[in-house]
Amino acid sequence: MSDGANVPAEQVEETARRWSDQCPDRNVSPVLVLGLLNEARLRLEERLAGALEEHGLRSWEFDVLAALRTEGEPYELCPGTLSLRLGVSNSAMTHRITRLEESGLVERRFSPHNRRIVLVRLTQRGRALTEHAMGSYLSEGGDALAGLTREELDRLCLLLRRLGTSSARHAEE
């Protein structure tokens, strides 16, 4: 199978069929399932990235801004908490915060309770941009999922949750 980058679903299915023909004694379902998951992920990422680009944002920028926005007023977190929530290293988060600060979307400030603690806060401009971008994100995401019923979406969430749990459990063993 190729690296999976931009492989249409039909090619994933054809590759899985060829593996099945060549290895009839083996369960090759991972080729199909993981290939289709990867294909769907790539297509969704492309659509959502396009929606964010309309607002001059990249996905990583939106992730940081959205994490702050969903915190509620005063829309701030310490960099370490942001790193944990977004699954990136502290050094990567420092770089991201610096870039967003240079763009005027966030600001660093000391905690009023402990001056040793630095907080990252959404600026007014950052909050407004996040609100507009979220509207586009939800619209594009909704369009992408429009082919599924509410029941199918619920089932998909359940299955993806189980897959994630199962994968994490096996990775720990």
Side-chain angles (χ1 to χ4, degrees):
M1 189 168 161
S2 75
D3 65 357
N6 298 320
V7 176
E10 296 79 25
Q11 286 183 287
V12 172
E13 292 168 351
E14 178 61 22
T15 299
R17 186 198 57 74
R18 287 196 316 273
W19 272 111
S20 182
D21 289 349
Q22 293 299 310
C23 304
D25 58 325
R26 299 183 79 179
N27 175 10
V28 297
S29 62
V31 173
L32 179 61
V33 173
L34 298 176
L36 289 173
L37 270 174
N38 191 51
E39 176 65 19
R41 179 190 58 82
L42 288 170
R43 297 295 163 240
L44 291 170
E45 283 179 357
E46 286 173 9
R47 287 184 76 156
L48 296 173
L52 295 175
E53 283 174 14
E54 292 175 10
H55 300 279
L57 290 172
R58 288 171 279 194
S59 293
W60 68 263
E61 291 169 312
F62 180 71
D63 290 344
V64 174
L65 298 174
L68 292 168
R69 174 58 183 87
T70 58
E71 200 49 35
E73 292 221 34
Y75 311 112
E76 64 185 15
L77 288 169
C78 58
T81 302
L82 277 168
S83 294
L84 287 172
R85 289 208 183 146
L86 299 178
V88 298
S89 69
N90 287 333
S91 61
M93 184 53 63
T94 298
H95 176 73
R96 291 174 181 194
I97 292 166
T98 299
R99 297 278 305 270
L100 291 167
E101 190 174 38
E102 289 169 353
S103 298
L105 301 174
V106 302
E107 61 187 10
R108 288 182 176 106
R109 66 181 204 90
F110 290 107
S111 167
H113 308 294
N114 183 341
R115 294 201 41 86
R116 292 176 294 169
I117 298 174
V118 173
L119 297 170
V120 179
R121 178 183 280 188
L122 269 180
T123 62
Q124 286 288 87
R125 182 171 171 247
R127 195 166 86 216
L129 180 60
T130 304
E131 296 290 336
H132 286 93
M134 187 60 174
S136 297
Y137 185 95
L138 291 173
S139 177
E140 191 64 35
D143 288 350
L145 299 173
L148 300 175
T149 66
R150 181 74 243 164
E151 293 78 23
E152 289 170 330
L153 287 170
D154 291 344
R155 181 76 175 144
L156 178 60
C157 287
L158 173 72
L159 293 171
L160 290 172
R161 219 175 279 114
R162 284 177 49 195
L163 178 61
T165 301
S166 173
S167 297
R169 186 173 31 248
H170 290 314
E172 293 172 359
E173 295 175 354

